[in-house]
Structures are given as structure tokens and as C-alpha cells.
Coordinates of all heavy atoms in Angstrom, one line a residue:
M1 N 133.9 -21.6 -125.5 CA 133.5 -20.6 -126.5 C 133.9 -19.3 -125.9 O 133.5 -18.9 -124.7 CB 131.9 -20.6 -126.7 CG 131.5 -19.5 -127.6 SD 129.9 -19.9 -128.2 CE 128.8 -19.0 -127.1
K2 N 134.6 -18.5 -126.6 CA 135.1 -17.2 -126.3 C 134.1 -16.1 -126.8 O 133.8 -16.1 -127.9 CB 136.5 -16.9 -126.8 CG 137.1 -15.6 -126.3 CD 138.5 -15.5 -126.9 CE 139.0 -14.1 -126.3 NZ 140.3 -13.9 -126.8
L3 N 133.6 -15.2 -125.8 CA 132.7 -14.2 -126.2 C 133.5 -12.9 -126.3 O 134.5 -12.7 -125.6 CB 131.6 -14.0 -125.2 CG 130.6 -15.2 -125.1 CD1 129.7 -14.9 -124.0 CD2 129.9 -15.4 -126.4
F4 N 133.2 -12.1 -127.3 CA 133.8 -10.8 -127.5 C 133.1 -9.7 -126.6 O 131.9 -9.9 -126.3 CB 133.8 -10.4 -129.0 CG 134.5 -11.4 -129.8 CD1 133.9 -12.4 -130.5 CD2 136.0 -11.2 -129.8 CE1 134.7 -13.3 -131.2 CE2 136.6 -12.2 -130.6 CZ 136.0 -13.2 -131.3
P5 N 133.8 -8.6 -126.3 CA 133.1 -7.5 -125.5 C 131.9 -7.1 -126.2 O 131.9 -6.8 -127.3 CB 134.2 -6.5 -125.5 CG 135.5 -7.1 -125.7 CD 135.2 -8.4 -126.6
G6 N 130.8 -7.0 -125.4 CA 129.5 -6.6 -125.9 C 128.7 -7.6 -126.6 O 127.5 -7.4 -126.9
S7 N 129.2 -8.8 -126.8 CA 128.5 -9.9 -127.4 C 127.4 -10.4 -126.5 O 126.3 -10.9 -127.0 CB 129.4 -11.0 -127.9 OG 130.1 -11.6 -126.8
T8 N 127.6 -10.4 -125.2 CA 126.5 -10.9 -124.4 C 125.3 -10.0 -124.5 O 124.1 -10.5 -124.5 CB 127.0 -11.0 -122.9 OG1 128.2 -11.7 -122.8 CG2 126.0 -11.5 -122.0
T9 N 125.5 -8.8 -124.5 CA 124.4 -7.8 -124.7 C 123.6 -8.0 -126.0 O 122.4 -8.0 -126.0 CB 124.9 -6.3 -124.5 OG1 125.6 -6.3 -123.3 CG2 123.8 -5.4 -124.6
A10 N 124.5 -8.2 -127.0 CA 123.8 -8.4 -128.3 C 123.0 -9.7 -128.4 O 121.9 -9.7 -129.0 CB 125.0 -8.4 -129.4
I11 N 123.6 -10.7 -127.8 CA 122.8 -12.0 -127.8 C 121.4 -11.8 -127.0 O 120.5 -12.3 -127.4 CB 123.7 -13.1 -127.2 CG1 124.9 -13.3 -128.1 CG2 122.9 -14.3 -126.9 CD1 125.9 -14.4 -127.6
C12 N 121.5 -11.2 -125.8 CA 120.3 -11.1 -125.0 C 119.3 -10.2 -125.8 O 118.0 -10.5 -125.7 CB 120.7 -10.4 -123.7 SG 121.6 -11.5 -122.6
T13 N 119.7 -9.2 -126.5 CA 118.8 -8.3 -127.3 C 118.2 -9.1 -128.4 O 117.0 -9.0 -128.6 CB 119.7 -7.1 -127.8 OG1 120.3 -6.4 -126.7 CG2 118.7 -6.2 -128.6
M14 N 118.9 -9.9 -129.0 CA 118.4 -10.8 -130.1 C 117.3 -11.7 -129.6 O 116.3 -11.9 -130.2 CB 119.4 -11.5 -130.9 CG 120.3 -10.7 -131.7 SD 121.5 -11.6 -132.7 CE 122.4 -12.6 -131.6
L15 N 117.6 -12.3 -128.5 CA 116.7 -13.3 -127.9 C 115.4 -12.6 -127.4 O 114.3 -13.1 -127.5 CB 117.3 -14.0 -126.7 CG 118.4 -15.0 -127.0 CD1 119.0 -15.6 -125.8 CD2 117.8 -16.1 -127.9
A16 N 115.5 -11.4 -126.9 CA 114.3 -10.7 -126.5 C 113.4 -10.4 -127.6 O 112.2 -10.4 -127.5 CB 114.7 -9.3 -125.8
F17 N 114.0 -10.0 -128.8 CA 113.2 -9.7 -130.0 C 112.7 -10.8 -130.7 O 111.8 -10.9 -131.6 CB 113.8 -8.6 -130.8 CG 113.8 -7.3 -130.2 CD1 115.0 -6.8 -129.7 CD2 112.8 -6.6 -130.1 CE1 115.1 -5.5 -129.2 CE2 112.7 -5.3 -129.5 CZ 113.9 -4.8 -129.1
A18 N 113.4 -12.1 -130.5 CA 113.1 -13.3 -131.2 C 111.8 -13.9 -130.7 O 111.3 -14.7 -131.5 CB 114.3 -14.2 -131.1
S19 N 111.5 -13.7 -129.5 CA 110.3 -14.3 -129.0 C 109.3 -13.3 -128.6 O 109.2 -12.9 -127.4 CB 110.7 -15.2 -127.9 OG 111.4 -14.6 -126.9
P20 N 108.4 -12.8 -129.4 CA 107.5 -11.9 -129.1 C 106.4 -12.4 -128.1 O 106.1 -13.5 -128.0 CB 106.7 -11.5 -130.4 CG 107.0 -12.7 -131.3 CD 108.3 -13.4 -130.8
A21 N 105.8 -11.5 -127.4 CA 104.7 -11.9 -126.4 C 103.6 -12.5 -127.3 O 103.1 -11.9 -128.2 CB 104.3 -10.7 -125.6
A22 N 103.1 -13.7 -126.8 CA 102.1 -14.3 -127.5 C 100.9 -14.6 -126.7 O 100.0 -15.3 -127.0 CB 102.7 -15.7 -128.0
A23 N 100.8 -13.9 -125.6 CA 99.6 -14.1 -124.7 C 98.4 -13.3 -125.2 O 98.6 -12.3 -126.1 CB 99.9 -13.5 -123.3
W24 N 97.2 -13.7 -124.9 CA 96.1 -12.9 -125.4 C 95.5 -12.1 -124.2 O 95.2 -12.6 -123.2 CB 95.0 -14.1 -125.7 CG 93.8 -13.6 -126.5 CD1 93.7 -12.4 -127.2 CD2 92.6 -14.3 -126.8 NE1 92.6 -12.4 -127.9 CE2 91.8 -13.5 -127.6 CE3 92.1 -15.6 -126.3 CZ2 90.5 -13.9 -128.0 CZ3 90.9 -15.9 -126.7 CH2 90.1 -15.1 -127.6
E25 N 95.4 -10.8 -124.5 CA 95.1 -9.8 -123.4 C 93.6 -9.5 -123.6 O 93.1 -9.4 -124.7 CB 96.0 -8.7 -123.6 CG 97.5 -9.0 -123.3 CD 98.5 -7.8 -123.6 OE1 98.0 -6.7 -124.1 OE2 99.6 -8.0 -123.3
G26 N 93.1 -9.1 -122.4 CA 91.7 -8.7 -122.4 C 91.3 -8.0 -121.2 O 92.2 -7.6 -120.3
Y27 N 90.1 -7.7 -120.9 CA 89.6 -6.8 -119.9 C 88.3 -7.4 -119.3 O 87.4 -7.8 -120.1 CB 89.3 -5.5 -120.5 CG 88.9 -4.3 -119.6 CD1 89.8 -3.8 -118.7 CD2 87.6 -3.9 -119.5 CE1 89.6 -2.8 -117.8 CE2 87.3 -2.9 -118.6 CZ 88.2 -2.3 -117.8 OH 87.9 -1.4 -116.9
D28 N 88.3 -7.4 -118.0 CA 87.0 -7.9 -117.3 C 86.2 -6.7 -117.0 O 86.5 -5.8 -116.2 CB 87.4 -8.6 -116.0 CG 86.2 -9.1 -115.3 OD1 85.1 -8.5 -115.4 OD2 86.4 -10.1 -114.5
R29 N 85.0 -6.5 -117.7 CA 84.3 -5.3 -117.7 C 83.6 -5.0 -116.2 O 83.6 -4.0 -115.8 CB 83.1 -5.3 -118.6 CG 83.6 -5.1 -120.1 CD 82.4 -5.1 -121.0 NE 82.4 -6.3 -121.8 CZ 81.4 -6.8 -122.3 NH1 80.2 -6.2 -122.3 NH2 81.4 -7.9 -123.0
K30 N 83.3 -6.1 -115.6 CA 82.7 -6.0 -114.2 C 83.6 -5.5 -113.2 O 83.4 -4.7 -112.3 CB 82.0 -7.4 -113.8 CG 81.3 -7.3 -112.5 CD 80.6 -8.6 -112.2 CE 79.9 -8.6 -110.9 NZ 79.4 -9.8 -110.5
T31 N 84.8 -6.1 -113.2 CA 85.7 -5.8 -112.1 C 86.7 -4.6 -112.6 O 87.4 -4.1 -111.7 CB 86.7 -7.0 -111.7 OG1 87.4 -7.4 -112.8 CG2 85.8 -8.2 -111.2
G32 N 86.7 -4.3 -113.8 CA 87.6 -3.3 -114.3 C 89.1 -3.7 -114.4 O 89.9 -2.7 -114.3
T33 N 89.4 -4.9 -114.4 CA 90.8 -5.3 -114.4 C 91.1 -6.0 -115.7 O 90.3 -6.5 -116.5 CB 91.0 -6.3 -113.2 OG1 90.2 -7.4 -113.4 CG2 90.8 -5.6 -111.9
Y34 N 92.4 -6.0 -116.0 CA 93.0 -6.6 -117.2 C 93.2 -8.1 -116.7 O 93.6 -8.5 -115.6 CB 94.3 -6.0 -117.6 CG 93.9 -4.7 -118.4 CD1 94.0 -3.5 -117.5 CD2 93.5 -4.5 -119.6 CE1 93.7 -2.3 -118.1 CE2 93.2 -3.4 -120.2 CZ 93.3 -2.3 -119.4 OH 92.9 -1.0 -120.0
I35 N 93.1 -9.0 -117.8 CA 93.5 -10.4 -117.7 C 94.3 -10.8 -118.8 O 94.4 -10.1 -119.8 CB 92.2 -11.3 -117.5 CG1 91.3 -11.3 -118.8 CG2 91.3 -10.9 -116.3 CD1 91.5 -12.4 -119.7
E36 N 94.9 -12.0 -118.7 CA 95.8 -12.5 -119.8 C 95.7 -14.0 -119.9 O 95.8 -14.6 -118.9 CB 97.3 -12.0 -119.5 CG 98.2 -12.4 -120.6 CD 99.6 -11.8 -120.2 OE1 100.3 -12.4 -119.5 OE2 99.9 -10.6 -120.7
I37 N 95.5 -14.5 -121.1 CA 95.4 -15.9 -121.3 C 96.7 -16.2 -122.0 O 97.0 -15.7 -123.1 CB 94.2 -16.4 -122.1 CG1 93.0 -16.0 -121.3 CG2 94.3 -17.8 -122.4 CD1 91.7 -16.1 -122.2
E38 N 97.5 -17.2 -121.5 CA 98.9 -17.5 -122.1 C 98.7 -18.3 -123.3 O 97.7 -18.9 -123.6 CB 99.7 -18.2 -121.1 CG 100.1 -17.3 -119.9 CD 101.1 -17.9 -119.0 OE1 101.7 -18.9 -119.4 OE2 101.2 -17.5 -117.9
E39 N 99.7 -18.2 -124.2 CA 99.7 -19.0 -125.4 C 99.5 -20.4 -125.2 O 100.0 -21.0 -124.2 CB 101.0 -18.7 -126.2 CG 101.1 -19.5 -127.4 CD 102.5 -19.2 -128.2 OE1 103.5 -19.0 -127.4 OE2 102.6 -19.4 -129.3
G40 N 99.0 -21.1 -126.2 CA 98.9 -22.5 -126.1 C 97.5 -23.1 -125.5 O 97.3 -24.3 -125.5
Q41 N 96.7 -22.2 -125.0 CA 95.4 -22.7 -124.4 C 94.4 -22.6 -125.5 O 94.3 -21.5 -126.2 CB 95.1 -21.8 -123.2 CG 96.1 -22.0 -122.0 CD 95.5 -21.4 -120.8 OE1 94.6 -21.9 -120.3 NE2 96.1 -20.3 -120.4
T42 N 93.6 -23.6 -125.6 CA 92.4 -23.6 -126.5 C 91.2 -23.0 -125.8 O 90.8 -23.6 -124.7 CB 92.2 -25.0 -126.9 OG1 93.3 -25.6 -127.4 CG2 91.0 -25.1 -127.9
V43 N 90.7 -22.0 -126.4 CA 89.6 -21.3 -125.7 C 88.3 -21.5 -126.5 O 88.1 -21.0 -127.5 CB 89.8 -19.8 -125.6 CG1 88.7 -19.0 -125.0 CG2 91.1 -19.5 -125.0
H44 N 87.6 -22.5 -126.0 CA 86.3 -23.0 -126.6 C 85.3 -23.3 -125.5 O 85.8 -23.5 -124.4 CB 86.4 -24.2 -127.5 CG 87.3 -24.0 -128.7 ND1 86.8 -23.3 -129.8 CD2 88.5 -24.5 -129.2 CE1 87.7 -23.3 -130.7 NE2 88.8 -23.9 -130.3
S45 N 84.1 -23.3 -125.9 CA 83.1 -23.6 -124.8 C 83.3 -24.9 -124.2 O 83.8 -25.9 -124.9 CB 81.6 -23.7 -125.5 OG 81.3 -22.4 -125.9
R46 N 83.2 -25.0 -122.9 CA 83.3 -26.3 -122.1 C 84.7 -26.7 -122.0 O 85.1 -27.9 -121.7 CB 82.5 -27.4 -122.7 CG 81.0 -27.1 -122.5 CD 80.1 -28.2 -123.1 NE 80.4 -28.1 -124.6 CZ 79.7 -28.7 -125.6 NH1 78.8 -29.4 -125.1 NH2 80.0 -28.6 -126.8
R47 N 85.6 -25.7 -122.2 CA 87.1 -26.1 -121.9 C 87.6 -25.3 -120.7 O 87.1 -24.2 -120.4 CB 88.0 -25.5 -123.2 CG 87.7 -26.3 -124.5 CD 88.2 -27.7 -124.4 NE 89.6 -27.8 -124.2 CZ 90.5 -28.2 -125.0 NH1 90.2 -28.5 -126.2 NH2 91.8 -28.3 -124.6
E48 N 88.4 -25.9 -120.0 CA 89.1 -25.3 -118.8 C 90.2 -24.4 -119.3 O 91.1 -24.9 -120.2 CB 89.6 -26.4 -117.9 CG 90.1 -26.0 -116.6 CD 88.9 -25.8 -115.6 OE1 87.8 -26.2 -115.8 OE2 89.3 -25.2 -114.5
I49 N 90.4 -23.3 -118.7 CA 91.5 -22.4 -119.0 C 92.1 -21.8 -117.8 O 91.5 -21.8 -116.7 CB 91.1 -21.2 -120.0 CG1 90.1 -20.3 -119.3 CG2 90.7 -21.6 -121.3 CD1 89.9 -18.9 -120.0
E50 N 93.3 -21.4 -117.9 CA 94.0 -20.8 -116.8 C 94.3 -19.3 -117.3 O 94.7 -19.2 -118.4 CB 95.3 -21.4 -116.4 CG 96.0 -20.8 -115.2 CD 97.2 -21.6 -114.8 OE1 98.2 -21.5 -115.6 OE2 97.2 -22.1 -113.7
Y51 N 94.0 -18.4 -116.4 CA 94.3 -17.0 -116.9 C 94.9 -16.1 -115.7 O 94.7 -16.5 -114.6 CB 93.1 -16.3 -117.4 CG 92.0 -16.2 -116.4 CD1 91.8 -15.1 -115.5 CD2 91.0 -17.3 -116.3 CE1 90.8 -15.1 -114.6 CE2 90.0 -17.3 -115.4 CZ 89.9 -16.2 -114.5 OH 88.9 -16.2 -113.6
Y52 N 95.6 -15.1 -116.0 CA 96.3 -14.3 -115.0 C 95.3 -13.1 -114.8 O 95.0 -12.4 -115.8 CB 97.6 -13.8 -115.3 CG 98.4 -13.1 -114.3 CD1 98.9 -13.8 -113.2 CD2 98.4 -11.7 -114.3 CE1 99.4 -13.1 -112.1 CE2 99.0 -11.0 -113.2 CZ 99.5 -11.7 -112.1 OH 100.1 -11.1 -111.0
D53 N 94.9 -12.9 -113.6 CA 94.1 -11.7 -113.2 C 95.0 -10.6 -112.6 O 95.6 -10.8 -111.5 CB 93.0 -12.2 -112.2 CG 92.0 -11.1 -111.9 OD1 92.5 -9.9 -111.7 OD2 90.9 -11.4 -111.6
F54 N 95.2 -9.5 -113.3 CA 96.1 -8.5 -112.8 C 95.5 -7.7 -111.7 O 96.3 -7.2 -110.8 CB 96.4 -7.5 -114.0 CG 97.3 -8.0 -115.0 CD1 96.9 -8.6 -116.1 CD2 98.8 -7.8 -114.8 CE1 97.7 -9.2 -117.0 CE2 99.6 -8.3 -115.8 CZ 99.1 -9.1 -116.8
G55 N 94.2 -7.7 -111.5 CA 93.7 -7.1 -110.3 C 93.8 -7.8 -109.1 O 94.1 -7.3 -108.0
R56 N 93.8 -9.1 -109.2 CA 94.1 -10.0 -107.9 C 95.5 -10.4 -107.9 O 95.9 -11.1 -106.8 CB 93.1 -11.2 -108.0 CG 91.6 -10.8 -107.9 CD 90.8 -12.0 -107.8 NE 89.4 -11.6 -107.4 CZ 88.4 -11.7 -108.3 NH1 88.5 -12.2 -109.6 NH2 87.1 -11.3 -107.9
R57 N 96.2 -10.2 -108.9 CA 97.7 -10.6 -109.0 C 97.9 -12.0 -108.7 O 98.8 -12.5 -107.9 CB 98.5 -9.8 -108.0 CG 98.5 -8.3 -108.3 CD 99.3 -7.5 -107.2 NE 99.2 -6.1 -107.6 CZ 99.7 -5.2 -106.7 NH1 100.3 -5.5 -105.6 NH2 99.6 -4.0 -107.1
E58 N 97.1 -12.9 -109.5 CA 97.2 -14.3 -109.4 C 96.7 -15.0 -110.6 O 95.8 -14.5 -111.3 CB 96.5 -14.8 -108.1 CG 95.0 -14.6 -108.1 CD 94.4 -15.1 -106.9 OE1 95.1 -15.5 -105.9 OE2 93.1 -15.1 -106.8
Y59 N 97.1 -16.3 -110.8 CA 96.5 -17.1 -111.8 C 95.2 -17.7 -111.2 O 95.1 -18.0 -110.1 CB 97.5 -18.3 -112.2 CG 98.6 -17.7 -113.0 CD1 99.9 -17.4 -112.5 CD2 98.4 -17.6 -114.5 CE1 100.9 -16.9 -113.4 CE2 99.4 -17.2 -115.3 CZ 100.7 -16.8 -114.7 OH 101.6 -16.4 -115.6
R60 N 94.3 -17.8 -112.1 CA 92.9 -18.4 -111.8 C 92.6 -19.4 -112.9 O 93.0 -19.4 -114.0 CB 91.9 -17.3 -111.6 CG 92.4 -16.3 -110.5 CD 91.4 -15.1 -110.4 NE 90.1 -15.5 -109.8 CZ 90.0 -15.5 -108.4 NH1 91.0 -15.3 -107.6 NH2 88.8 -15.8 -108.0
R61 N 91.7 -20.2 -112.5 CA 91.2 -21.3 -113.4 C 89.6 -21.1 -113.6 O 88.9 -20.6 -112.7 CB 91.4 -22.7 -112.9 CG 92.9 -23.0 -112.9 CD 93.1 -24.5 -112.6 NE 92.8 -25.3 -113.7 CZ 93.5 -25.4 -114.8 NH1 94.5 -24.7 -115.0 NH2 93.2 -26.3 -115.8
G62 N 89.2 -21.4 -114.8 CA 87.8 -21.3 -115.1 C 87.4 -22.0 -116.3 O 88.2 -22.5 -117.1
S63 N 86.1 -22.3 -116.4 CA 85.4 -23.1 -117.5 C 84.9 -22.0 -118.5 O 84.1 -21.1 -118.1 CB 84.4 -24.0 -116.9 OG 83.7 -24.6 -117.9
V64 N 85.2 -22.2 -119.7 CA 84.6 -21.3 -120.8 C 83.2 -21.7 -120.9 O 82.9 -22.9 -121.4 CB 85.5 -21.3 -122.1 CG1 84.9 -20.5 -123.1 CG2 86.9 -21.0 -121.8
E65 N 82.4 -20.8 -120.8 CA 80.8 -21.0 -121.0 C 80.4 -20.6 -122.4 O 79.6 -21.4 -123.0 CB 80.0 -20.3 -119.9 CG 80.3 -20.7 -118.5 CD 80.0 -22.1 -118.2 OE1 78.9 -22.5 -118.6 OE2 80.8 -22.8 -117.6
S66 N 81.0 -19.6 -122.9 CA 80.6 -19.2 -124.3 C 81.7 -18.3 -124.9 O 82.5 -17.5 -124.1 CB 79.3 -18.5 -124.3 OG 79.4 -17.2 -123.6
V67 N 81.8 -18.2 -126.2 CA 82.7 -17.3 -126.9 C 81.9 -16.7 -128.0 O 81.3 -17.3 -128.8 CB 83.9 -18.1 -127.5 CG1 84.8 -17.3 -128.3 CG2 84.6 -18.9 -126.4
H68 N 82.0 -15.3 -128.1 CA 81.3 -14.6 -129.1 C 82.3 -13.7 -129.8 O 82.9 -12.8 -129.1 CB 80.1 -13.8 -128.6 CG 79.1 -14.5 -128.0 ND1 78.2 -15.3 -128.6 CD2 78.8 -14.7 -126.7 CE1 77.4 -15.9 -127.8 NE2 77.7 -15.7 -126.5
D69 N 82.5 -13.8 -131.2 CA 83.4 -13.0 -131.9 C 82.6 -12.0 -132.8 O 81.9 -12.6 -133.7 CB 84.3 -13.9 -132.7 CG 85.4 -13.1 -133.4 OD1 85.3 -11.9 -133.5 OD2 86.3 -13.8 -134.1
D70 N 82.7 -10.7 -132.6 CA 82.0 -9.8 -133.4 C 82.9 -9.1 -134.4 O 82.5 -8.3 -135.2 CB 81.2 -8.7 -132.6 CG 82.2 -7.8 -131.9 OD1 83.4 -7.8 -132.1 OD2 81.7 -7.1 -131.0
G71 N 84.1 -9.6 -134.6 CA 85.1 -9.1 -135.5 C 86.0 -7.9 -134.9 O 87.1 -7.9 -135.2
A72 N 85.4 -7.1 -134.0 CA 86.3 -6.0 -133.4 C 86.8 -6.6 -132.1 O 87.9 -6.1 -131.7 CB 85.4 -4.9 -133.1
S73 N 86.1 -7.4 -131.5 CA 86.7 -8.1 -130.2 C 86.0 -9.4 -130.0 O 85.1 -9.8 -130.7 CB 86.4 -7.2 -129.0 OG 85.0 -7.0 -128.7
V74 N 86.5 -10.2 -129.0 CA 86.0 -11.5 -128.7 C 85.5 -11.5 -127.2 O 86.3 -11.1 -126.4 CB 87.0 -12.6 -128.9 CG1 86.4 -13.9 -128.5 CG2 87.5 -12.6 -130.4
E75 N 84.2 -11.8 -127.0 CA 83.6 -11.8 -125.7 C 83.7 -13.3 -125.2 O 83.2 -14.1 -125.8 CB 82.3 -11.2 -125.7 CG 81.7 -11.1 -124.3 CD 80.3 -10.6 -124.4 OE1 80.2 -9.3 -124.4 OE2 79.3 -11.4 -124.2
I76 N 84.3 -13.5 -124.0 CA 84.4 -14.8 -123.4 C 83.7 -14.8 -122.0 O 84.1 -14.0 -121.2 CB 85.9 -15.2 -123.2 CG1 86.6 -15.2 -124.6 CG2 85.9 -16.6 -122.6 CD1 88.1 -15.5 -124.4
E77 N 82.8 -15.7 -121.9 CA 82.1 -15.8 -120.6 C 82.8 -17.0 -119.8 O 82.8 -18.1 -120.5 CB 80.6 -16.0 -120.7 CG 80.0 -16.0 -119.3 CD 78.4 -16.3 -119.4 OE1 77.9 -16.6 -120.4 OE2 77.8 -16.2 -118.3
V78 N 83.3 -16.8 -118.7 CA 84.0 -17.8 -117.9 C 83.4 -18.1 -116.5 O 83.1 -17.1 -115.9 CB 85.5 -17.4 -117.8 CG1 86.3 -18.4 -116.9 CG2 86.1 -17.3 -119.1
Y79 N 83.3 -19.3 -116.2 CA 82.9 -19.6 -114.8 C 84.2 -19.7 -114.0 O 84.9 -20.7 -114.1 CB 82.1 -20.9 -114.7 CG 81.8 -21.3 -113.3 CD1 80.7 -20.5 -112.6 CD2 82.4 -22.3 -112.7 CE1 80.4 -21.0 -111.3 CE2 82.1 -22.7 -111.3 CZ 81.1 -21.9 -110.7 OH 80.7 -22.2 -109.4
D80 N 84.4 -18.8 -113.1 CA 85.6 -18.7 -112.3 C 85.5 -19.8 -111.1 O 84.6 -19.7 -110.3 CB 85.8 -17.4 -111.7 CG 87.1 -17.1 -110.9 OD1 87.4 -17.9 -110.0 OD2 87.8 -16.2 -111.2
R81 N 86.4 -20.8 -111.2 CA 86.3 -21.8 -110.2 C 86.7 -21.3 -108.8 O 86.2 -21.9 -107.7 CB 87.3 -22.9 -110.6 CG 86.9 -23.6 -111.9 CD 86.6 -25.0 -111.8 NE 86.3 -25.6 -113.0 CZ 85.1 -25.8 -113.5 NH1 84.1 -25.5 -112.7 NH2 84.8 -26.3 -114.7
H82 N 87.5 -20.4 -108.6 CA 87.9 -19.8 -107.3 C 86.8 -19.1 -106.6 O 86.5 -19.3 -105.5 CB 89.1 -18.9 -107.4 CG 90.4 -19.6 -107.8 ND1 90.9 -19.5 -109.1 CD2 91.2 -20.2 -107.1 CE1 92.0 -20.1 -109.2 NE2 92.2 -20.6 -107.9
S83 N 86.1 -18.2 -107.4 CA 85.1 -17.4 -106.7 C 83.6 -17.9 -106.9 O 82.7 -17.6 -106.1 CB 85.1 -15.9 -107.3 OG 84.7 -16.1 -108.7
G84 N 83.4 -18.8 -107.8 CA 82.1 -19.3 -108.1 C 81.2 -18.4 -108.9 O 80.0 -18.6 -108.9
E85 N 81.9 -17.5 -109.5 CA 81.2 -16.4 -110.2 C 81.4 -16.5 -111.7 O 82.4 -17.0 -112.1 CB 81.6 -15.0 -109.8 CG 81.3 -14.6 -108.3 CD 81.9 -13.3 -108.0 OE1 82.9 -12.8 -108.5 OE2 81.3 -12.8 -107.1
Y86 N 80.5 -16.0 -112.5 CA 80.6 -15.9 -114.0 C 81.3 -14.6 -114.2 O 80.9 -13.6 -113.7 CB 79.2 -16.0 -114.7 CG 78.7 -17.4 -114.6 CD1 77.9 -17.8 -113.6 CD2 79.1 -18.3 -115.6 CE1 77.4 -19.0 -113.6 CE2 78.6 -19.7 -115.6 CZ 77.7 -19.9 -114.5 OH 77.2 -21.2 -114.4
R87 N 82.3 -14.6 -115.1 CA 83.0 -13.4 -115.6 C 82.9 -13.3 -117.0 O 83.0 -14.3 -117.7 CB 84.4 -13.4 -115.1 CG 84.5 -13.5 -113.6 CD 86.0 -13.7 -113.1 NE 86.6 -12.4 -113.3 CZ 88.0 -12.2 -112.9 NH1 88.7 -13.2 -112.5 NH2 88.5 -11.0 -113.1
T88 N 82.9 -12.0 -117.5 CA 82.9 -11.8 -118.9 C 84.2 -11.0 -119.3 O 84.4 -9.9 -118.8 CB 81.6 -10.9 -119.4 OG1 80.5 -11.7 -119.0 CG2 81.7 -10.7 -120.8
F89 N 85.0 -11.5 -120.3 CA 86.2 -11.0 -120.7 C 86.0 -10.4 -122.1 O 85.4 -11.0 -123.0 CB 87.3 -11.9 -120.6 CG 87.6 -12.5 -119.3 CD1 88.1 -13.9 -119.3 CD2 87.4 -11.9 -118.2 CE1 88.3 -14.5 -118.1 CE2 87.6 -12.5 -116.9 CZ 88.2 -13.8 -116.9
E90 N 86.4 -9.2 -122.3 CA 86.5 -8.6 -123.6 C 87.9 -8.8 -124.1 O 88.8 -8.0 -123.6 CB 86.0 -7.2 -123.7 CG 85.9 -6.7 -125.1 CD 85.2 -5.4 -125.1 OE1 84.3 -5.0 -124.3 OE2 85.6 -4.6 -126.0
M91 N 88.2 -9.6 -125.1 CA 89.6 -9.9 -125.5 C 89.9 -9.2 -126.8 O 89.0 -8.9 -127.6 CB 89.7 -11.3 -125.7 CG 89.3 -12.3 -124.6 SD 90.2 -11.9 -123.1 CE 91.8 -12.5 -123.5
E92 N 91.1 -8.9 -127.0 CA 91.6 -8.3 -128.3 C 91.3 -9.2 -129.4 O 91.5 -10.5 -129.3 CB 93.0 -8.0 -128.3 CG 93.5 -7.0 -127.2 CD 95.0 -6.8 -127.2 OE1 95.8 -7.6 -127.7 OE2 95.4 -5.8 -126.6
S93 N 90.8 -8.7 -130.6 CA 90.6 -9.5 -131.7 C 91.9 -9.9 -132.3 O 92.8 -9.0 -132.4 CB 89.7 -8.8 -132.7 OG 89.4 -9.7 -133.7
E94 N 92.1 -11.1 -132.6 CA 93.5 -11.6 -133.1 C 93.6 -11.4 -134.6 O 92.7 -11.4 -135.3 CB 93.7 -13.0 -132.8 CG 93.8 -13.2 -131.3 CD 94.2 -14.6 -130.9 OE1 93.6 -15.6 -131.4 OE2 95.1 -14.8 -130.1

């Protein structure tokens, strides 16, 4: 396949806009850090999830203890398996 000058840049640009970010972003009120739950994870009580903790700069696992949706945001209580602590995330309402 022969590419024309500038076509590689055009293809890369199209791919970048074709797949929008689908992660669910939120905030841990206690630690003051942002977290992100990647697309494809089911967030319900008694489910295991993996999330990225921007404050610790690592992926962590936790068990969802409760989910409360008040319309403006979604509050998720998670038992963090690494630290043994309960964490509360305030997530963007989808």
C-alpha cells in the first residue's frame, strides 16, 4: 500500500478522535486524589474492580461495598485490598 505525503498524520489524527476516552473519572475525598475506573468494569455492590490511583501512581484492586447515585454524582464506597482501608470515591455522573 502506497501512502501519500501527510496521509500518516491524517490517519493518526482520525484514530485519535475515533476512540474517545471511556474511563470513569472520580475523586477520593479523604486522600484528595483523582482515580479512574477503566471502561468495561461493572461497578455494583460486592463486585471486584480495578482502578488507577493518580496519587499513588498505580493500579489498585478493591471490593465495591456500596453505590449511591444522587443524580449529580455517584458515590462509591470501596474496600481497598492493598491498604485494608475503606475509600469513598465521588464519581462523575454519566
